[in-house]
Amino acid sequence: MKVKVKVRRFNPEKDHRPYWGEYQLEAQPTDRVLDLLVYIKGYIDGTLTFRRSCAHGICGSDAMVINGRNRLACKELVKDVGRTIVIEPLRGLPVIKDLAVDMEPFFRKYRSILPFLINDEPPPYTERLQSPEARERFDDTTKCILCAACTTSCPSFWANDSYLGPAAIVQAHRFIFDDRDRGAQARLAILAEADGVWRCRTIYNCVDACPREIDITRAIGEVKKLLLVE
Amino acid sequence: MSKLARVTLSQFLTYRGGQPMLAWLLHRIAGIGIVLFVGMHVLAAFFLYGVTGGTANTVANALTEFYESRPMQIFILFAVLYHGINGLRIVVLDMWPGLHRFHREAMWLQWAVFLPIFLIPAFLIALGIKIG
């Protein structure tokens, strides 16, 4: 089948404003959007820039706006997105070139919520044991691959880039509800600030955008409730 | 580098967030509508009772005529009902985070409650029918 791919292109070194690059190509219904981008770069226009790594929905490198929604290019099939495919870089992050955005502001927020196990108790001789039930408590939020699809789909983040964003809160949730961790109070103090969880307006764009199907708004809700109870 | 981080209005409006995003937008519009309505009310009362003179009276009358017009009454009815019912949905989901997995059903329930409560009085206002 013939497909038309429109890509929002922008090279800050020579373009004053972004423009749409249009490419016509043959594709199979089972091709992924990433396959089309790789084809365009390889055979039509070598200057097209995008990020990719594992290409199997695990590394989270190729999150982009596909037909108006944040998606991983390696998980979207042509048969699901139609014959005209409009691709844009993630919203709210600085564009480095074409579809590659600067992820540093996103990772800065991720680092700010202390995304590591905090436990000053002397380590036991064996591993720190955890029951299956205690592990289940935060299982959903361990699935995050830090692709930034959720944070960059959030209108609260678009309006205020100081907002921590759903991904950072999901990562905080992963440690706050881990019974081996002792740093919950430090994280909750960060999340209770003006740019923390209270900026979530329950819009659910993040839930729709998450390629790992994490129930993000629920995780944010659990953190909000914990803050109220604490 | 470091260009185009700001999200433009067209980018904002073309993101296909679906029904939940629409609900959030309507919630905002309804909220602003209520603030404007109350503001106009206060302003009209101020001009009517707080300021003397013909111009103040004219301004007060113009404001009153505007917010008492039928389209404005229907808009205010929409704004108050939508803001209230949508707000209740969000409060319930926020208080019981386990219910978030039913957020789509909650949205349909909200429309099922909102539409009859809004449409019947709006229809009566539009036709100028007064009850009682």
Side-chain angles (χ1 to χ4, degrees), chain A residues 8 10 18 67-70 91-92 94-95 102 153 155 158 201-205 217-218 221-222 224-225, chain B residues 1-5 7 11-12 14-17 20-21 24 28 89-90 93-95 97-98 100-101 103:
Chain A
R8 192 175 159 98
F10 180 63
N67 284 357
R69 290 191 180 110
N70 281 10
R91 286 167 190 174
V95 174
D102 180 6
S153 72
W158 297 339
R201 299 287 187 262
T202 328
I203 305 170
Y204 294 105
N205 276 7
T217 314
R218 177 183 180 164
E222 286 177 352
K224 279 180 182 171
K225 199 165 181 187
Chain B
M1 224 181 84
S2 223
K3 278 190 172 181
L4 294 178
V7 177
Q11 284 181 313
F12 177 92
T14 52
Y15 190 87
R16 291 168 61 202
M21 191 172 159
W24 169 75
R28 287 290 161 117
R89 174 183 65 88
I90 294 167
L93 291 170
D94 265 355
M95 286 304 291
H100 276 299
R101 66 175 180 276
H103 77 267

Side-chain angles (χ1 to χ4, degrees), chain A residues 82-95:
Chain A
R83 286 168 189 269
T84 302
I85 304 163
V86 182
I87 307 173
E88 301 161 74
L90 292 175
R91 286 167 190 174
L93 292 174
V95 174

